[in-house]
Amino acid sequence: METLFDHALIDANRLRALRGEPADFLLNVVARELAERLSVIDRRFERAVELHGHTGAAARAIVETGKVDALERVESDRRFAGQGEAVVVSPLETVPLEPQSANLIVSPLSLHLTNDTPGVFVQIRRALKPDGLFLAAIPGSGTLQELREVLLAAESEIAGGASPRVIPFPDVRDVGALLQRGGFALPVTDKESYTVRYDSIFPLMKDLRAMGMANPLTGRSRRPLTRGILLRAAELYAERFSDPDGRIRATFSIIYVSGWAPHESQQKPLKPGSAKMRLADALKQGGQE
């Protein structure tokens, strides 16, 4: 298995962000969206678990729905817990739960950083009780596409070559396939895009560091971008992705995921050959009507 992400660096980036002034607006948006999606489900969940939520924003929003009896947090470092708050410490790619032990598992903005994402999906499904629910928010393709483009162009133009500066993000179809591969029933994926505007590229990059989203690729260049490359990237960003008022746009595309652990009470597709009428006949009849 190829190791794309440096998990020790991810923890260091996130902890550094928490010690400063974290930019948690994206996590807060995702937390509210996940809570809203849970609130419309006519169910109560006895044991809920938040996986690697970084700030705990999703955990707090889920509790406020009144849909869960108890919620636990899993983090890769104890320092992600609030004062007096208990967390279970476990690496980013490990789900430290007994089989069929949780009714609800929530993952906000962490599964895009796993090296073995299919394996993590399988672990989550195994940890759910039958008819248990998995909810996740995963940054998807289109996220930071503007920044990716201008950094690549500026570094290529000035240095004669470029290193990856923005991580790859999954496509919504790939995430749907992972749900099916992981054994989830009734899988659903959809994508919401959020546009954030900045005065220039520099406050955007500051916010990314304050989110703990500095480049964690194992194949990243260890040489920082030069001042000349950054200034050229700022020029290209303003030329290509600015609004009439001069402010630039940054896109965050979030894939929302839901899937259930299989249970006999769930709806199931009809078996092949069990239809009472051929599709061609049904279409013909509908056209006559």
Side-chain angles (χ1 to χ4, degrees), residues 54-67:
H54 185 190
T55 67
R60 293 188 291 273
I62 293 298
V63 169
E64 289 173 2
T65 66
K67 293 283 187 174

Side-chain angles (χ1 to χ4, degrees), residues 53-87:
H54 185 190
T55 67
R60 293 188 291 273
I62 293 298
V63 169
E64 289 173 2
T65 66
K67 293 283 187 174
V68 302
D69 294 332
L71 186 141
E72 305 161 32
R73 289 183 61 197
V74 173
E75 293 291 351
S76 53
D77 192 293
R78 197 171 303 280
R79 286 171 287 181
F80 288 119
Q83 187 173 8
E85 183 181 22
V87 297

Side-chain angles (χ1 to χ4, degrees), residues 128-200:
L128 285 170
K129 293 183 178 181
D131 210 27
L133 176 62
F134 169 47
L135 290 176
I138 305 171
S141 58
T143 296
L144 297 175
Q145 61 183 1
E146 305 93 347
L147 182 63
R148 182 197 309 277
E149 180 180 319
V150 300
L151 289 178
L152 178 63
E155 191 172 11
S156 297
E157 177 184 319
I158 294 176
S163 298
R165 302 289 179 177
V166 177
I167 68 172
F169 295 100
D171 182 83
V172 65
R173 291 169 296 183
D174 297 330
V175 175
L178 285 173
L179 279 171
Q180 294 181 324
R181 181 176 172 183
F184 288 93
L186 309 175
V188 176
T189 58
D190 63 274
K191 186 164 73 171
E192 295 281 348
S193 290
Y194 307 96
T195 300
V196 184
R197 302 203 313 147
Y198 291 91
D199 290 334
S200 74

Side-chain angles (χ1 to χ4, degrees), residues 10-28 53-55 80 109 144 198 201-215 252:
I10 290 169
D11 283 351
N13 288 340
R14 287 184 163 186
L15 287 167
R16 188 181 304 112
L18 284 180
R19 288 195 297 269
E21 297 182 4
D24 53 5
F25 62 86
L26 191 60
L27 265 171
N28 291 337
H54 185 190
T55 67
F80 288 119
L109 304 187
L144 297 175
Y198 291 91
I201 194 175
F202 300 107
L204 165 60
M205 296 181 75
K206 180 181 178 182
D207 261 7
L208 293 177
R209 289 191 294 272
M211 293 179 190
M213 288 180 65
N215 187 356
F252 296 89

